[in-house]
Amino acid sequence: MIEDIKKRALHRTKILEGQMRGLEKMIENEDYCMDIITQSLAIQKSLGSLNKLLVENHLRTHVSHMFEEGGEQKEAAMAELLRVFELSNNRS
């Protein structure tokens, strides 16, 4: 992993961990539903930020190398990227 991206991704996971603890506490305390939903949506946004970092790292390392290799490696990289794109668009 690229060191800067790794550092930022780990920071993001710590934020997510705190957000999840907060969400759990809100549910336990039976906080106002809209506040719980707002927290849940903030967590989803944070997960999106983490995923963006991970995709960036993958593009800058593995995918660029696979494209340089060409042939089957390039096709495998394309298939991976299409799968990730498909997964990100099929979220409910």
Side-chain angles (χ1 to χ4, degrees):
M1 255 189 129
I2 297 169
E3 195 59 37
D4 177 60
I5 293 175
K6 179 179 179 180
K7 181 181 175 183
R8 291 166 40 211
L10 287 170
H11 177 72
R12 175 63 49 201
T13 62
K14 291 186 186 328
I15 291 170
L16 278 158
E17 185 178 19
Q19 288 176 313
M20 287 298 296
R21 279 194 307 271
L23 180 63
E24 181 180 22
K25 193 176 241 181
M26 291 173 81
I27 293 168
E28 286 173 353
N29 294 338
E30 298 181 17
D31 284 5
Y32 185 59
C33 294
M34 290 308 296
D35 293 341
I36 295 171
I37 292 167
T38 299
Q39 179 69 5
S40 176
L41 291 171
I43 291 167
Q44 289 177 33
K45 187 164 176 111
S46 291
L47 280 169
S49 295
L50 175 61
N51 288 337
K52 182 180 175 187
L53 286 172
L54 297 174
V55 168
E56 179 184 353
N57 185 78
H58 190 60
L59 288 170
R60 292 183 185 278
T61 57
H62 299 96
V63 173
S64 61
H65 176 72
M66 292 168 86
F67 266 67
E68 287 173 6
E69 290 286 316
E72 288 181 25
Q73 287 292 316
K74 182 178 177 180
E75 291 303 314
M78 297 280 286
E80 279 182 352
L81 293 173
L82 288 171
R83 275 195 312 274
V84 168
F85 178 76
E86 205 171 86
L87 285 171
S88 71
N89 286 323
N90 289 331
R91 292 185 297 175
S92 44

Coordinates of all heavy atoms in Angstrom, one line a residue:
M1 N 0.8 -1.2 0.0 CA 0.0 0.0 0.0 C 0.9 1.2 0.0 O 1.9 1.3 0.6 CB -0.9 0.0 1.3 CG -2.3 -0.3 1.0 SD -3.4 0.0 2.5 CE -4.6 0.9 1.7
I2 N 0.4 2.3 -0.7 CA 1.1 3.5 -0.6 C 1.0 4.1 0.8 O -0.1 4.2 1.3 CB 0.5 4.5 -1.7 CG1 0.7 3.9 -3.1 CG2 1.1 5.9 -1.6 CD1 -0.1 4.6 -4.2
E3 N 2.1 4.5 1.3 CA 2.1 4.9 2.8 C 1.1 6.0 3.1 O 0.4 5.9 4.2 CB 3.5 5.3 3.2 CG 3.8 5.4 4.6 CD 3.5 4.0 5.4 OE1 3.8 3.0 4.8 OE2 2.9 4.1 6.5
D4 N 1.0 7.0 2.3 CA 0.1 8.1 2.6 C -1.4 7.6 2.6 O -2.1 8.0 3.5 CB 0.3 9.3 1.6 CG -0.7 10.4 1.9 OD1 -0.7 11.0 3.0 OD2 -1.5 10.7 1.0
I5 N -1.7 6.8 1.6 CA -3.1 6.3 1.5 C -3.3 5.4 2.7 O -4.4 5.4 3.3 CB -3.3 5.6 0.2 CG1 -3.2 6.7 -0.9 CG2 -4.6 4.9 0.2 CD1 -3.4 6.1 -2.3
K6 N -2.4 4.6 3.1 CA -2.5 3.7 4.2 C -2.8 4.5 5.5 O -3.7 4.1 6.2 CB -1.3 2.8 4.4 CG -1.4 1.8 5.6 CD -0.1 1.0 5.7 CE -0.1 0.1 6.8 NZ 1.1 -0.7 6.9
K7 N -2.0 5.5 5.7 CA -2.2 6.3 6.9 C -3.6 7.0 6.9 O -4.3 6.9 7.9 CB -1.1 7.4 6.9 CG -1.2 8.4 8.1 CD -0.1 9.4 8.0 CE -0.2 10.4 9.1 NZ 0.8 11.5 9.0
R8 N -4.0 7.5 5.8 CA -5.4 8.1 5.7 C -6.5 7.1 5.8 O -7.5 7.3 6.5 CB -5.5 8.9 4.4 CG -4.6 10.1 4.4 CD -4.4 10.8 3.0 NE -5.5 10.8 2.2 CZ -5.5 10.8 0.8 NH1 -4.3 10.7 0.2 NH2 -6.6 10.9 0.1
A9 N -6.3 5.9 5.3 CA -7.3 4.8 5.4 C -7.4 4.4 6.9 O -8.6 4.2 7.4 CB -7.0 3.6 4.5
L10 N -6.3 4.2 7.5 CA -6.4 3.8 9.0 C -7.0 4.9 9.8 O -7.8 4.6 10.7 CB -5.0 3.5 9.5 CG -4.4 2.2 9.0 CD1 -2.9 2.1 9.4 CD2 -5.1 1.0 9.5
H11 N -6.8 6.1 9.5 CA -7.4 7.3 10.2 C -8.9 7.2 10.0 O -9.7 7.3 10.9 CB -6.9 8.6 9.7 CG -7.5 9.8 10.3 ND1 -7.3 10.1 11.6 CD2 -8.4 10.7 9.8 CE1 -8.0 11.2 11.9 NE2 -8.7 11.6 10.8
R12 N -9.3 6.9 8.7 CA -10.8 6.8 8.4 C -11.4 5.7 9.2 O -12.5 5.8 9.7 CB -10.9 6.6 6.9 CG -12.3 6.4 6.4 CD -13.3 7.5 6.6 NE -12.8 8.8 6.3 CZ -13.3 10.0 6.7 NH1 -14.3 10.0 7.6 NH2 -12.8 11.1 6.3
T13 N -10.7 4.5 9.4 CA -11.3 3.4 10.1 C -11.5 3.7 11.6 O -12.4 3.3 12.2 CB -10.4 2.1 10.0 OG1 -9.1 2.3 10.5 CG2 -10.3 1.6 8.5
K14 N -10.6 4.5 12.1 CA -10.7 4.9 13.5 C -11.9 5.9 13.7 O -12.7 5.8 14.6 CB -9.5 5.6 14.0 CG -8.3 4.6 14.2 CD -7.1 5.2 14.8 CE -5.9 4.3 14.8 NZ -6.1 2.9 14.9
I15 N -12.1 6.7 12.7 CA -13.3 7.6 12.7 C -14.6 6.7 12.6 O -15.6 6.9 13.4 CB -13.3 8.6 11.6 CG1 -12.2 9.7 11.9 CG2 -14.6 9.3 11.4 CD1 -11.9 10.6 10.7
L16 N -14.6 5.8 11.7 CA -15.7 4.9 11.6 C -16.0 4.1 12.8 O -17.2 3.9 13.2 CB -15.5 3.9 10.4 CG -15.8 4.5 9.0 CD1 -15.0 3.7 8.0 CD2 -17.3 4.4 8.8
E17 N -15.0 3.7 13.5 CA -15.1 2.9 14.7 C -15.9 3.8 15.8 O -16.8 3.3 16.4 CB -13.7 2.5 15.3 CG -13.8 1.6 16.5 CD -12.4 1.2 16.9 OE1 -11.4 1.8 16.5 OE2 -12.3 0.2 17.7
G18 N -15.5 5.0 15.9 CA -16.1 5.9 16.8 C -17.6 6.2 16.4 O -18.5 6.3 17.3
Q19 N -17.8 6.4 15.1 CA -19.1 6.6 14.6 C -20.0 5.4 14.9 O -21.2 5.6 15.3 CB -19.1 6.9 13.1 CG -18.6 8.3 12.8 CD -18.5 8.5 11.3 OE1 -18.0 7.6 10.5 NE2 -19.0 9.6 10.8
M20 N -19.5 4.2 14.8 CA -20.3 3.0 15.0 C -20.6 2.9 16.5 O -21.8 2.5 16.9 CB -19.6 1.8 14.5 CG -19.5 1.6 13.0 SD -21.2 1.4 12.3 CE -21.7 -0.1 13.0
R21 N -19.7 3.2 17.4 CA -19.9 3.2 18.8 C -21.0 4.2 19.2 O -21.9 3.9 20.0 CB -18.7 3.4 19.6 CG -17.8 2.2 19.8 CD -16.7 2.4 20.9 NE -15.9 3.6 20.7 CZ -14.8 3.7 19.9 NH1 -14.3 2.6 19.4 NH2 -14.2 4.9 19.8
G22 N -21.0 5.3 18.5 CA -22.0 6.4 18.8 C -23.3 5.9 18.3 O -24.3 6.1 19.0
L23 N -23.4 5.3 17.2 CA -24.7 4.8 16.6 C -25.3 3.7 17.6 O -26.5 3.7 17.9 CB -24.5 4.2 15.2 CG -25.7 3.6 14.5 CD1 -26.7 4.7 14.3 CD2 -25.3 3.0 13.2
E24 N -24.4 2.8 18.0 CA -24.9 1.8 18.9 C -25.4 2.4 20.2 O -26.5 2.0 20.7 CB -23.7 0.9 19.3 CG -24.1 -0.3 20.2 CD -22.9 -1.2 20.6 OE1 -21.7 -0.7 20.4 OE2 -23.1 -2.3 21.0
K25 N -24.7 3.4 20.8 CA -25.2 4.1 22.0 C -26.5 4.8 21.7 O -27.4 4.7 22.6 CB -24.1 5.0 22.4 CG -24.4 5.6 23.8 CD -23.2 6.5 24.2 CE -22.6 5.9 25.4 NZ -21.4 6.7 25.9
M26 N -26.7 5.4 20.6 CA -27.9 6.1 20.2 C -29.1 5.1 20.2 O -30.2 5.4 20.7 CB -27.8 6.8 18.9 CG -26.8 8.0 18.9 SD -26.6 8.6 17.2 CE -28.0 9.7 17.1
I27 N -28.9 3.9 19.6 CA -29.9 2.9 19.5 C -30.3 2.4 20.9 O -31.4 2.3 21.3 CB -29.5 1.8 18.6 CG1 -29.4 2.3 17.1 CG2 -30.5 0.6 18.7 CD1 -28.8 1.3 16.2
E28 N -29.2 2.1 21.7 CA -29.4 1.7 23.1 C -30.2 2.7 23.9 O -31.1 2.3 24.7 CB -28.1 1.4 23.8 CG -27.4 0.1 23.3 CD -26.0 0.0 23.9 OE1 -25.5 0.9 24.6 OE2 -25.4 -1.1 23.7
N29 N -30.0 4.0 23.7 CA -30.6 5.0 24.4 C -32.0 5.4 23.8 O -32.7 6.3 24.4 CB -29.7 6.3 24.5 CG -28.5 6.1 25.3 OD1 -28.4 5.2 26.1 ND2 -27.5 6.9 25.0
E30 N -32.3 4.8 22.7 CA -33.6 5.0 22.0 C -33.7 6.5 21.7 O -34.7 7.2 21.9 CB -34.8 4.6 22.8 CG -34.8 3.1 23.1 CD -36.0 2.6 23.8 OE1 -37.0 3.3 23.9 OE2 -35.9 1.4 24.3
D31 N -32.6 7.0 21.1 CA -32.6 8.4 20.6 C -33.6 8.6 19.5 O -34.1 7.7 19.0 CB -31.2 8.8 20.1 CG -30.2 9.0 21.2 OD1 -30.5 8.8 22.4 OD2 -29.0 9.4 20.9
Y32 N -33.9 9.9 19.2 CA -34.8 10.2 18.2 C -34.4 9.6 16.9 O -33.2 9.6 16.4 CB -34.8 11.8 18.0 CG -35.8 12.3 17.1 CD1 -37.2 12.1 17.2 CD2 -35.4 13.1 16.0 CE1 -38.1 12.6 16.3 CE2 -36.3 13.6 15.1 CZ -37.7 13.4 15.3 OH -38.6 13.9 14.4
C33 N -35.4 8.9 16.2 CA -35.1 8.1 15.0 C -34.3 8.9 13.9 O -33.4 8.4 13.3 CB -36.4 7.6 14.4 SG -37.2 6.4 15.4
M34 N -34.7 10.1 13.7 CA -34.0 10.9 12.7 C -32.6 11.2 13.0 O -31.7 11.3 12.1 CB -34.8 12.3 12.4 CG -36.1 12.1 11.7 SD -36.1 11.1 10.2 CE -35.1 12.1 9.2
D35 N -32.3 11.3 14.3 CA -30.9 11.5 14.7 C -30.1 10.2 14.4 O -28.9 10.3 14.0 CB -30.8 11.9 16.2 CG -31.3 13.2 16.5 OD1 -31.5 14.1 15.5 OD2 -31.7 13.5 17.6
I36 N -30.7 9.1 14.7 CA -30.0 7.8 14.4 C -29.8 7.6 12.9 O -28.7 7.2 12.5 CB -30.9 6.6 15.0 CG1 -30.9 6.7 16.5 CG2 -30.3 5.3 14.6 CD1 -31.9 5.7 17.2
I37 N -30.8 7.9 12.1 CA -30.7 7.8 10.7 C -29.6 8.7 10.2 O -28.8 8.4 9.3 CB -32.0 8.1 10.0 CG1 -33.0 7.0 10.3 CG2 -31.9 8.3 8.5 CD1 -34.5 7.3 10.0
T38 N -29.5 9.9 10.7 CA -28.5 10.9 10.3 C -27.1 10.3 10.6 O -26.2 10.4 9.8 CB -28.7 12.3 11.0 OG1 -30.0 12.8 10.6 CG2 -27.6 13.3 10.7
Q39 N -27.0 9.7 11.8 CA -25.7 9.1 12.1 C -25.3 8.0 11.2 O -24.2 7.8 10.7 CB -25.7 8.7 13.6 CG -24.4 8.0 14.1 CD -23.2 8.9 14.2 OE1 -23.3 10.1 14.0 NE2 -22.1 8.4 14.4
S40 N -26.3 7.2 10.9 CA -26.1 6.0 10.0 C -25.7 6.5 8.6 O -24.8 5.9 8.0 CB -27.4 5.2 9.9 OG -27.3 4.2 9.0
L41 N -26.3 7.5 8.1 CA -25.9 8.1 6.8 C -24.5 8.7 6.8 O -23.8 8.6 5.8 CB -27.0 9.2 6.4 CG -28.4 8.6 6.0 CD1 -29.3 9.7 5.8 CD2 -28.3 7.7 4.8
A42 N -24.1 9.3 8.0 CA -22.8 9.8 8.1 C -21.8 8.7 8.0 O -20.7 8.8 7.4 CB -22.6 10.6 9.4
I43 N -22.1 7.5 8.6 CA -21.2 6.3 8.6 C -21.1 5.9 7.1 O -20.0 5.5 6.7 CB -21.8 5.2 9.5 CG1 -21.6 5.7 11.0 CG2 -21.1 3.9 9.3 CD1 -22.4 4.8 12.0
Q44 N -22.2 5.8 6.4 CA -22.2 5.4 5.0 C -21.3 6.3 4.2 O -20.5 5.8 3.3 CB -23.6 5.4 4.4 CG -24.4 4.2 5.0 CD -25.8 4.2 4.5 OE1 -26.1 4.6 3.3 NE2 -26.8 3.8 5.3
K45 N -21.4 7.6 4.4 CA -20.5 8.6 3.7 C -19.0 8.3 4.1 O -18.2 8.3 3.2 CB -20.9 10.0 4.1 CG -20.2 11.0 3.3 CD -20.9 12.4 3.3 CE -20.1 13.4 2.6 NZ -20.7 13.8 1.4
S46 N -18.8 8.0 5.4 CA -17.4 7.7 5.8 C -16.9 6.4 5.1 O -15.7 6.4 4.7 CB -17.3 7.6 7.3 OG -17.5 8.8 7.9
L47 N -17.7 5.4 5.0 CA -17.4 4.2 4.3 C -17.0 4.5 2.8 O -16.1 3.9 2.3 CB -18.5 3.2 4.4 CG -18.5 2.4 5.7 CD1 -19.8 1.6 5.8 CD2 -17.3 1.5 5.9
G48 N -17.8 5.4 2.2 CA -17.6 5.8 0.9 C -16.2 6.4 0.7 O -15.5 6.2 -0.2
S49 N -15.8 7.3 1.7 CA -14.5 7.9 1.7 C -13.4 6.9 1.8 O -12.4 7.0 1.1 CB -14.4 8.9 2.8 OG -15.3 10.0 2.6
L50 N -13.6 5.9 2.7 CA -12.6 4.8 2.8 C -12.5 4.0 1.5 O -11.4 3.7 1.1 CB -13.0 3.9 4.0 CG -12.1 2.7 4.2 CD1 -10.7 3.0 4.5 CD2 -12.7 1.8 5.3
N51 N -13.6 3.7 0.9 CA -13.6 2.9 -0.3 C -12.9 3.7 -1.4 O -12.1 3.1 -2.2 CB -15.0 2.6 -0.8 CG -15.6 1.5 0.1 OD1 -14.9 0.7 0.7 ND2 -16.9 1.5 0.1
K52 N -13.1 5.0 -1.5 CA -12.4 5.8 -2.5 C -10.9 5.7 -2.3 O -10.1 5.6 -3.3 CB -12.9 7.3 -2.4 CG -12.3 8.2 -3.4 CD -12.8 9.6 -3.2 CE -12.0 10.5 -4.2 NZ -12.4 11.9 -4.0
L53 N -10.4 5.8 -1.0 CA -9.0 5.7 -0.8 C -8.5 4.3 -1.2 O -7.4 4.2 -1.8 CB -8.7 5.9 0.7 CG -8.8 7.3 1.3 CD1 -8.7 7.3 2.8 CD2 -7.7 8.2 0.7
L54 N -9.2 3.3 -0.9 CA -8.8 1.9 -1.3 C -8.7 1.7 -2.8 O -7.8 1.1 -3.3 CB -9.7 0.9 -0.6 CG -9.7 0.9 0.9 CD1 -10.7 -0.1 1.5 CD2 -8.3 0.6 1.5
V55 N -9.7 2.3 -3.5 CA -9.7 2.2 -4.9 C -8.6 3.0 -5.5 O -7.9 2.5 -6.4 CB -11.1 2.7 -5.5 CG1 -11.0 2.8 -7.0 CG2 -12.2 1.7 -5.2
E56 N -8.3 4.2 -4.9 CA -7.2 5.0 -5.4 C -5.9 4.2 -5.3 O -5.0 4.1 -6.2 CB -7.1 6.3 -4.6 CG -5.9 7.1 -5.0 CD -5.7 8.4 -4.2 OE1 -6.6 8.7 -3.4 OE2 -4.7 9.0 -4.4
N57 N -5.7 3.5 -4.1 CA -4.5 2.8 -3.9 C -4.4 1.6 -4.9 O -3.3 1.4 -5.5 CB -4.4 2.2 -2.5 CG -3.1 1.5 -2.2 OD1 -2.1 2.1 -1.9 ND2 -3.2 0.1 -2.3
H58 N -5.5 0.9 -5.1 CA -5.5 -0.2 -6.1 C -5.2 0.3 -7.5 O -4.4 -0.3 -8.2 CB -6.8 -0.9 -6.0 CG -6.9 -2.2 -6.8 ND1 -6.0 -3.2 -6.5 CD2 -7.6 -2.6 -7.9 CE1 -6.3 -4.2 -7.3 NE2 -7.2 -3.8 -8.2
L59 N -5.7 1.4 -7.9 CA -5.4 2.0 -9.2 C -4.0 2.4 -9.4 O -3.3 2.1 -10.4 CB -6.3 3.2 -9.5 CG -7.8 3.0 -9.7 CD1 -8.5 4.3 -9.7 CD2 -8.0 2.2 -11.0
R60 N -3.4 3.0 -8.3 CA -2.0 3.5 -8.4 C -1.0 2.4 -8.3 O 0.1 2.6 -8.7 CB -1.8 4.5 -7.3 CG -2.5 5.8 -7.5 CD -2.2 6.8 -6.4 NE -3.0 8.0 -6.6 CZ -2.8 9.0 -7.4 NH1 -1.7 9.0 -8.2 NH2 -3.5 10.1 -7.4
T61 N -1.4 1.2 -7.8 CA -0.4 0.1 -7.6 C -0.8 -1.0 -8.6 O -0.2 -1.1 -9.6 CB -0.4 -0.3 -6.1 OG1 -1.7 -0.7 -5.7 CG2 0.1 0.7 -5.2
H62 N -1.7 -1.8 -8.2 CA -2.0 -3.0 -8.9 C -2.5 -2.8 -10.4 O -2.0 -3.4 -11.3 CB -3.0 -3.9 -8.2 CG -2.5 -4.3 -6.8 ND1 -2.8 -3.6 -5.7 CD2 -1.7 -5.3 -6.4 CE1 -2.2 -4.2 -4.7 NE2 -1.5 -5.2 -5.1
V63 N -3.5 -1.9 -10.5 CA -4.1 -1.7 -11.8 C -3.1 -1.1 -12.8 O -3.0 -1.6 -13.9 CB -5.3 -0.8 -11.7 CG1 -5.9 -0.5 -13.1 CG2 -6.4 -1.6 -10.9
S64 N -2.3 -0.1 -12.4 CA -1.3 0.4 -13.3 C -0.3 -0.6 -13.7 O 0.1 -0.7 -14.9 CB -0.6 1.6 -12.7 OG 0.1 1.3 -11.5
H65 N 0.1 -1.5 -12.8 CA 1.0 -2.6 -13.2 C 0.4 -3.5 -14.1 O 1.0 -4.0 -15.1 CB 1.5 -3.3 -11.9 CG 2.4 -4.4 -12.1 ND1 3.7 -4.3 -12.6 CD2 2.1 -5.8 -12.1 CE1 4.2 -5.5 -12.7 NE2 3.3 -6.4 -12.4
M66 N -0.9 -3.9 -13.9 CA -1.6 -4.8 -14.7 C -1.8 -4.3 -16.1 O -1.7 -5.0 -17.1 CB -2.9 -5.2 -14.1 CG -2.8 -6.0 -12.8 SD -4.3 -6.2 -11.9 CE -5.0 -7.6 -12.7
F67 N -2.0 -3.0 -16.2 CA -2.2 -2.4 -17.6 C -0.8 -2.4 -18.3 O -0.8 -2.6 -19.5 CB -2.7 -0.9 -17.4 CG -4.2 -0.8 -17.6 CD1 -5.0 -1.4 -16.6 CD2 -4.8 -0.2 -18.6 CE1 -6.4 -1.4 -16.7 CE2 -6.2 -0.2 -18.8 CZ -7.0 -0.7 -17.8
E68 N 0.3 -2.1 -17.6 CA 1.6 -2.2 -18.2 C 1.9 -3.5 -18.7 O 2.5 -3.7 -19.8 CB 2.7 -1.7 -17.2 CG 2.7 -0.3 -16.9 CD 3.6 0.1 -15.7 OE1 4.4 -0.8 -15.3 OE2 3.6 1.3 -15.3
E69 N 1.5 -4.6 -18.0 CA 1.7 -6.0 -18.4 C 1.0 -6.3 -19.7 O 1.4 -7.0 -20.6 CB 1.2 -6.9 -17.4 CG 2.1 -7.0 -16.1 CD 3.4 -7.7 -16.3 OE1 3.4 -8.7 -17.0 OE2 4.4 -7.1 -15.9
G70 N -0.2 -5.6 -19.9 CA -1.0 -5.8 -21.1 C -1.7 -7.2 -21.1 O -1.7 -8.0 -20.1
G71 N -2.3 -7.5 -22.2 CA -2.9 -8.8 -22.4 C -3.9 -9.3 -21.4 O -4.8 -8.5 -21.1
E72 N -3.7 -10.5 -20.9 CA -4.6 -11.0 -19.9 C -4.6 -10.2 -18.6 O -5.7 -10.1 -17.9 CB -4.3 -12.5 -19.6 CG -4.6 -13.4 -20.7 CD -4.3 -14.9 -20.4 OE1 -4.2 -15.2 -19.2 OE2 -4.0 -15.7 -21.3
Q73 N -3.5 -9.7 -18.2 CA -3.4 -8.9 -17.0 C -4.3 -7.6 -17.1 O -5.0 -7.3 -16.2 CB -2.0 -8.5 -16.7 CG -1.1 -9.6 -16.2 CD -1.6 -10.1 -14.8 OE1 -1.9 -9.3 -13.9 NE2 -1.7 -11.4 -14.6
K74 N -4.2 -7.0 -18.3 CA -5.0 -5.8 -18.5 C -6.5 -6.1 -18.5 O -7.3 -5.4 -17.9 CB -4.6 -5.2 -19.9 CG -5.4 -3.9 -20.2 CD -4.9 -3.3 -21.5 CE -5.7 -2.1 -21.8 NZ -5.3 -1.5 -23.1
E75 N -6.9 -7.2 -19.1 CA -8.3 -7.7 -19.1 C -8.8 -8.0 -17.7 O -9.9 -7.7 -17.3 CB -8.5 -8.9 -20.0 CG -8.3 -8.5 -21.5 CD -9.2 -7.4 -22.0 OE1 -10.4 -7.5 -21.7 OE2 -8.7 -6.5 -22.7
A76 N -7.9 -8.6 -16.9 CA -8.2 -8.9 -15.5 C -8.5 -7.7 -14.7 O -9.4 -7.6 -13.9 CB -7.2 -9.8 -14.9
A77 N -7.6 -6.7 -14.9 CA -7.8 -5.4 -14.2 C -9.1 -4.7 -14.6 O -9.8 -4.2 -13.8 CB -6.6 -4.5 -14.6
M78 N -9.4 -4.8 -15.9 CA -10.7 -4.2 -16.4 C -11.9 -4.9 -15.7 O -12.8 -4.3 -15.3 CB -10.8 -4.3 -17.9 CG -9.7 -3.5 -18.7 SD -10.1 -1.8 -18.8 CE -11.4 -1.9 -20.0
A79 N -11.8 -6.2 -15.6 CA -12.9 -7.0 -15.0 C -13.1 -6.7 -13.6 O -14.2 -6.5 -13.1 CB -12.6 -8.5 -15.2
E80 N -11.9 -6.5 -12.9 CA -12.0 -6.1 -11.4 C -12.7 -4.8 -11.3 O -13.5 -4.6 -10.4 CB -10.6 -6.0 -10.9 CG -9.9 -7.2 -10.5 CD -8.6 -7.0 -9.9 OE1 -8.0 -5.8 -9.9 OE2 -8.0 -7.9 -9.3
L81 N -12.3 -3.8 -12.1 CA -12.8 -2.5 -12.0 C -14.3 -2.5 -12.3 O -15.1 -1.8 -11.6 CB -12.1 -1.5 -12.9 CG -10.6 -1.2 -12.5 CD1 -9.9 -0.4 -13.6 CD2 -10.6 -0.5 -11.2
L82 N -14.7 -3.2 -13.3 CA -16.1 -3.3 -13.6 C -16.9 -4.0 -12.5 O -18.1 -3.5 -12.2 CB -16.3 -4.1 -14.9 CG -15.9 -3.3 -16.2 CD1 -15.9 -4.3 -17.4 CD2 -16.8 -2.1 -16.4
R83 N -16.4 -5.0 -11.8 CA -17.0 -5.6 -10.7 C -17.2 -4.6 -9.5 O -18.3 -4.5 -8.9 CB -16.3 -6.8 -10.2 CG -16.6 -8.1 -10.9 CD -16.1 -9.3 -10.2 NE -14.7 -9.3 -9.7 CZ -13.6 -9.6 -10.5 NH1 -13.8 -10.0 -11.7 NH2 -12.4 -9.6 -10.0
V84 N -16.2 -3.8 -9.2 CA -16.3 -2.8 -8.2 C -17.3 -1.8 -8.5 O -18.2 -1.4 -7.7 CB -14.9 -2.2 -7.9 CG1 -15.1 -1.0 -7.0 CG2 -14.0 -3.2 -7.2
F85 N -17.3 -1.3 -9.8 CA -18.3 -0.4 -10.2 C -19.7 -0.9 -10.1 O -20.6 -0.2 -9.6 CB -18.0 0.0 -11.7 CG -19.0 1.0 -12.2 CD1 -18.9 2.3 -11.9 CD2 -20.0 0.5 -13.1 CE1 -19.9 3.2 -12.4 CE2 -20.9 1.4 -13.6 CZ -20.9 2.8 -13.3
E86 N -19.9 -2.2 -10.5 CA -21.2 -2.8 -10.4 C -21.6 -2.9 -8.9 O -22.8 -2.6 -8.6 CB -21.1 -4.2 -11.0 CG -22.4 -4.8 -11.5 CD -22.1 -6.0 -12.3 OE1 -22.0 -7.1 -11.7 OE2 -21.9 -6.0 -13.5
L87 N -20.7 -3.3 -8.0 CA -21.1 -3.5 -6.6 C -21.4 -2.1 -6.0 O -22.4 -2.0 -5.3 CB -19.9 -4.0 -5.8 CG -19.6 -5.5 -6.0 CD1 -18.3 -5.9 -5.3 CD2 -20.7 -6.3 -5.4
S88 N -20.7 -1.1 -6.4 CA -21.0 0.2 -5.8 C -22.4 0.8 -6.3 O -23.0 1.6 -5.6 CB -19.9 1.2 -6.1 OG -19.9 1.6 -7.5
N89 N -22.8 0.4 -7.5 CA -24.1 0.8 -8.0 C -25.3 0.0 -7.6 O -26.4 0.3 -7.9 CB -24.0 0.9 -9.5 CG -23.2 2.1 -10.0 OD1 -23.2 3.2 -9.3 ND2 -22.4 2.0 -11.0
N90 N -25.0 -1.2 -7.0 CA -26.1 -2.1 -6.6 C -26.4 -2.0 -5.1 O -27.0 -2.9 -4.6 CB -25.8 -3.5 -7.0 CG -25.9 -3.7 -8.5 OD1 -26.6 -3.0 -9.2 ND2 -25.1 -4.6 -9.0
R91 N -25.9 -1.0 -4.4 CA -26.1 -0.8 -3.0 C -27.6 -0.5 -2.8 O -28.2 0.2 -3.6 CB -25.3 0.3 -2.4 CG -23.8 -0.1 -2.4 CD -23.0 1.0 -1.7 NE -23.1 2.2 -2.4 CZ -22.7 3.4 -2.0 NH1 -22.0 3.4 -0.8 NH2 -22.8 4.5 -2.7
S92 N -28.1 -1.0 -1.7 CA -29.5 -0.6 -1.4 C -29.6 0.3 -0.2 O -28.6 0.7 0.4 CB -30.3 -1.9 -1.0 OG -29.6 -2.7 -0.2

